[in-house]
Structures are given as C-alpha cells and as structure tokens.
Amino acid sequence: MAQRFRLRIHCFSVILCLLSFGDVVAQVQKGRATYYSKRATGSRTSSGIRVHHDSLTCAHRKWPFGTMLRVKNPVNGKEVIVKVIDRGPFVKGRIIDLSWRAAKELGILSQGVAMVEVTPIASIEIPKKNDSAIEIPELELETNDILNGTTPIWQEKSDTLHNTSHQ
C-alpha cells in the first residue's frame, strides 16, 4: 500500500515537472492580434489605467498587469515592446489587443487583424551614454574689477525706485 502511494506521488511529481517545462518551452505565443481604435482613448481598463492611443500598451488574457511583452510581426520583422494593462481579447483565435501606436509601429493598421509572435521580457536594459568620456570644465567664479567701484545703471534705477517708494 505504501509502495503504491509512493509511486503515485512520484508520477504526480513527474507530471508537474513536465507541465512546468511545457510553460518554459511555450513562452513564445503565436496568434492573431488586433488593436484598440483611437476612440478608445480615455476609457478605463481592467487594471484601472486609462487607455491612450499613443502609449505602447496591450491587453492579454493571461499575463499579469505590468508585464512587458515583445510583439513581433513575422511578415515584416518589426518588433515593439508593450506593457500589459488590460484583459482580453475575448474573441476566439486572438491572443493580444494592441494600442493604436503599437499596431502602427508593427505595420498592421491597414490589416486590422494580423499574425504576431508574443514573448515575455524578463528585464529591459535601457542603453545609456558612457559618462566617462565627458569632461567637466572648471568654472572661475571671481568678480572682475572692470566697474572700478561704479554701480551698473540697472542697479541704480532699482535703488532709486526702491528709495522713492519708501518716502
């Protein structure tokens, strides 16, 4: 009896390992994408964020809010990185709803519906300029004796205005 129980636990753990390995392999999702129209700008998403047509955002059924996804159009090779802010699409055969700008950058505006490849991004490295090549100049903060004790005209006028207003 105990041996059967151990065998069942072993089989269960093997099945769990295979299922988790399947998730790793199935990170690239292929399917159809649509996009929000410009008229959707301002409407609230299920995450509470408002949609804007110029933002690089999307709706996905399974990925958590805030997940960054790389969406690639296999026809022309263009890619865009979008952030999940909504749930959907709830139409069979579609895997992602893109913002208008993301669809524009992928070149799918004229098609309406297009095949895409969706891959999650673990981390994004933002390129930055190498700061070591920048030389900071030294500034000389001394006063000049060019005026030789004379007061500039703008200062004289402000002094006279100040003195007349207090009399």
Side-chain angles (χ1 to χ4, degrees), residues 36 43-49 51 59-60 65 85-88 90:
Y36 290 111
S43 61
R44 285 201 186 272
T45 63
S46 41
S47 68
I49 299 172
V51 174
H60 197 277
F65 296 134
I85 64 165
D86 200 6
R87 290 288 168 240
F90 299 108

Side-chain angles (χ1 to χ4, degrees), residues 7-157:
L7 183 62
R8 285 183 182 168
I9 289 177
H10 181 69
C11 288
F12 184 70
S13 62
V14 168
I15 290 171
L16 281 177
C17 287
L18 289 174
L19 288 175
S20 63
F21 181 71
D23 286 343
V24 171
V25 172
Q27 291 290 315
V28 176
Q29 192 178 18
K30 296 180 182 181
R32 293 183 176 176
T34 56
Y35 62 93
Y36 290 111
S37 73
K38 282 187 174 182
R39 285 183 276 166
T41 297
S43 61
R44 285 201 186 272
T45 63
S46 41
S47 68
I49 299 172
R50 293 189 183 271
V51 174
H52 193 275
H53 66 273
D54 276 338
S55 60
L56 293 173
T57 57
C58 71
H60 197 277
R61 276 184 241 139
K62 297 179 182 175
W63 289 107
F65 296 134
T67 304
M68 302 301 277
L69 301 174
R70 175 177 280 116
V71 182
K72 180 180 180 181
N73 184 347
V75 174
N76 59 16
K78 293 183 179 179
E79 292 183 357
V80 68
I81 296 174
V82 293
K83 181 179 180 180
V84 178
I85 64 165
D86 200 6
R87 290 288 168 240
F90 299 108
V91 177
K92 187 177 180 181
R94 296 186 188 167
I95 61 169
I96 195 166
D97 274 338
L98 300 167
S99 65
W100 185 88
R101 179 172 172 207
K104 180 181 177 188
E105 291 193 15
L106 289 173
I108 64 172
L109 284 178
S110 61
Q111 300 165 1
V113 179
M115 290 298 291
V116 294
E117 297 173 359
V118 178
T119 311
I121 298 176
S123 64
I124 297 175
E125 190 171 319
I126 299 171
K128 63 177 189 175
K129 189 175 181 179
N130 188 358
D131 292 335
S132 62
I134 298 175
E135 291 183 27
I136 300 174
E138 286 190 34
L139 299 176
E140 192 175 311
L141 301 174
E142 296 179 11
T143 59
N144 293 336
D145 289 334
I146 297 173
L147 299 175
N148 296 330
T150 59
T151 309
I153 295 174
W154 62 269
Q155 194 173 8
E156 287 177 6
K157 287 184 179 181

